[in-house]
Amino acid sequence: MSSSIPIIRLGDYLLATAQTELDDATATAFADELGQRIADTAARGVMLDISKLELVDSFIARTLVDIAGMARLLGARLVLAGMRPAVAITLVELGLPLPGVETALDVEQAMDKLAGTAQPVQLPRYTAGENPGALRG
């Protein structure tokens, strides 16, 4: 059964975009199809764009974790791109922070992660007693 989620090969990577909300049957079919595509193409990485998803329930969250584990066993990294803040909040509230799943804010950042060119996030350093929220004049 086809999942209706297009999977495109770009070099050593597979790109997929969930263009509508995922139901259980579509998510399961996609997991099966993606596993086969990884094995057939020997892909080194998978970028899954979930920016269109407004809802992720516990089944979909577990399926994403399963997909990441399956990809890892087949020698590929999975990066989820474009998770909406409401989805992230829901996953944390459900106690499903997607262990073992890499995330990126958007497709470009996800591809940088897969290609190994992502820059680490630089956080500002503050000294003791400095109020980082204070306005500077």
Side-chain angles (χ1 to χ4, degrees):
M1 178 177 160
S2 177
S3 68
S4 76
I5 298 175
I7 301 171
I8 300 166
R9 183 175 183 184
L10 182 62
D12 292 336
Y13 307 107
L14 297 176
L15 314 176
T17 300
Q19 299 173 338
T20 61
E21 295 297 330
L22 293 176
D23 58 46
D24 295 357
T26 301
T28 301
F30 173 70
D32 293 343
E33 187 177 349
L34 183 61
Q36 190 61 52
R37 290 289 302 271
I38 293 170
D40 290 347
T41 62
R44 294 180 25 211
V46 176
M47 188 283 304
L48 175 56
D49 179 7
I50 61 168
S51 61
K52 299 289 186 195
L53 300 184
E54 294 183 16
L55 300 170
V56 173
D57 63 16
S58 60
F59 182 85
I60 300 300
R62 277 195 272 289
T63 302
L64 292 172
V65 171
D66 291 347
I67 290 171
M70 171 201 58
R72 216 175 10 257
L73 288 173
L74 293 171
R77 291 172 57 196
L78 173 76
V79 178
L80 293 181
M83 183 181 298
R84 292 178 178 218
V87 170
I89 291 168
T90 300
L91 291 172
V92 170
E93 288 176 350
L94 290 172
L96 300 166
L98 303 181
V101 178
E102 291 184 73
T103 59
L105 291 177
D106 55 35
V107 170
E108 183 177 356
Q109 193 179 71
M111 291 307 295
D112 285 346
K113 279 189 171 190
L114 287 174
T117 61
Q119 297 295 317
V121 175
Q122 296 292 321
L123 298 175
R125 292 181 178 227
Y126 300 104
T127 58
E130 185 179 6
N131 182 355
L135 295 175
R136 296 184 180 159

